[in-house]
Amino acid sequence: MQFFIHTCPVDYIGSIGYNTSRSLADILSPVVGKTDHHVLNSKDLAEEFKDITLEEHEVLVSFDVVSLFTNTPINQSIQIVRDRLQKDSELHKRTNLTVDDIIKLLEFILSTTYFSFDGKIYRQKYGTAMGSPVSPVVANIFMEYLEEEAIATAHDDIKPRVWKRYVDDILAIVKADTVDRLKAHLDQVDDTGSIKFTHELEVDNSIPFLDTKITKRPDGTTKMVVYRKKTHTGQYLNFQSHHPLHQKLGVIRTLMDRAHSIVTEEADLKEEEDHIQSSLRKCGYPGWSFKKAKKKRGDNQTKKNSQTKPTNQRRKLVTIPYVKGTSEALQRIYQKYHISTAFRPHKKLRNILVHPKDKRSIDDQAGVVYQIPCGNCERSYIGETARKFGTRKNEHKLEVDTVSASYYTRGKKKESTSHMHKSAISDHVASENHHINWKKCSILARDSGKTSRWIREAIHIRKQQGRTFNRDLGQYSLSSIYDPILSDRRAPSTSARGKSFSQRSI
């Protein structure tokens, strides 16, 4: 079990601390990356190495932290974060929380590392949860502190001349005969003994780092090319896939941009461009797509270099499912009203093939739109809840059990029908003398967002017109313009529409 904890990331999405963790990450991110050793990406690395020349006795070496996330010392990291925040003069512009408030939330989030596996609940005892948005930020802050300590306390004869780090990957230039001593020094910097390093020396004057391969020329200068692992398959987004054209052209532009940002020599750049075209042609990309992507790259560069004044006007953005032909038409309509559009896949291959998490029972699922059927007729109740469905179902059952404790006589049924119960389900049981089939409850949709979940509920109620015993059409007032595509039935009766939201079961 220890091996599983140290190697498997925790799925944090939808957990009790996810939104808090994401907010903390936004607050803490600006304090990261303010050191000379920080590398933003491979383009930044290429700029850094452009003017670096190695001496004859120097070598390139990369260091890597062993399992950084699960070995990051929590107590030390929290204290380092506190010190950074207290020195941050811009903190009040990002949040109204005090430093103490942030630290208390961070302590809670970093200790909330529970997860389920094979029907059992476990707690990650060491380090930060790999699924938590704030974990990379905290680990990065700790590494900045650790490297400052390591370089400051290193003896002059083993001190690296160049030290560049991207999270837990480090590229350094050191004296050839000091590599082992430097590694031994790095392993003892962390007082807790949790942080250990591995290292890799240059081979044939070259070393891979991030997605670059750095080669030392005979004169000590360096050149760079794009690096691909031996396991790289050359598979990219297929041109025949159900994605908008701009995303496919974006694949070409991204690969070309990377090549032009990293590759140093013209001959290597030409070879890289040929490799990109060859790989993408195997993925179905036609010749015209490369010309169109090249033109778009040029237009973007021209726009970037132009001296246009920045505007403070923010365009609204709407995200819509991608359906070929239909989504492009909607995009053109939105553009007339200065609304930007983003497309998202309607269904991903991952959703069909990959199910890595334990399957949760219906009762354990939260943030859902649910359906509770009657056991005597074809009608059902549709509702929504942000909590676990099992909790909400038990509340319904408690009310129903009270109402259906005995069979109704004709007089009692008439009296019960005139009484408005707490739940629409209870009303149905009392008025019809029916029972609820609790075993046939189902989840119609899952959505953690309150408003979007209300919309989904309204849609499902409208689709079931005449087959529900809901008191109204849902919390969200869905326009009747959608009726033709939701159902071929006539609109619900006036009595159903006239019910106020105050009468709705919540």
Side-chain angles (χ1 to χ4, degrees), residues 36-37 39 45 48-49 51-55 58-63 151 158-165 170-175 182 214:
D36 293 335
H37 308 299
V39 172
L45 179 71
E48 294 277 357
F49 264 73
D51 300 320
I52 291 178
T53 301
L54 280 76
E55 302 295 335
E58 291 178 327
V59 294
L60 292 163
V61 58
S62 64
F63 294 96
I151 294 173
I158 66 170
K159 197 184 294 289
R161 182 165 68 88
V162 174
W163 177 280
K164 298 296 177 183
R165 179 183 57 83
I170 299 155
L171 180 64
I173 297 177
V174 300
K175 298 174 183 176
L182 177 58
I214 307 170

Side-chain angles (χ1 to χ4, degrees), residues 323-356:
V323 179
K324 188 175 181 179
T326 303
S327 298
E328 287 87 351
L330 284 172
Q331 184 181 48
R332 289 191 292 270
I333 295 173
Y334 282 126
Q335 284 177 344
K336 295 179 181 179
Y337 299 95
H338 306 289
I339 299 174
S340 300
T341 53
F343 299 138
R344 60 177 174 81
H346 178 62
K347 183 175 288 187
K348 299 178 181 178
L349 190 62
R350 175 184 176 87
N351 302 135
I352 302 173
L353 300 179
V354 183
H355 303 282

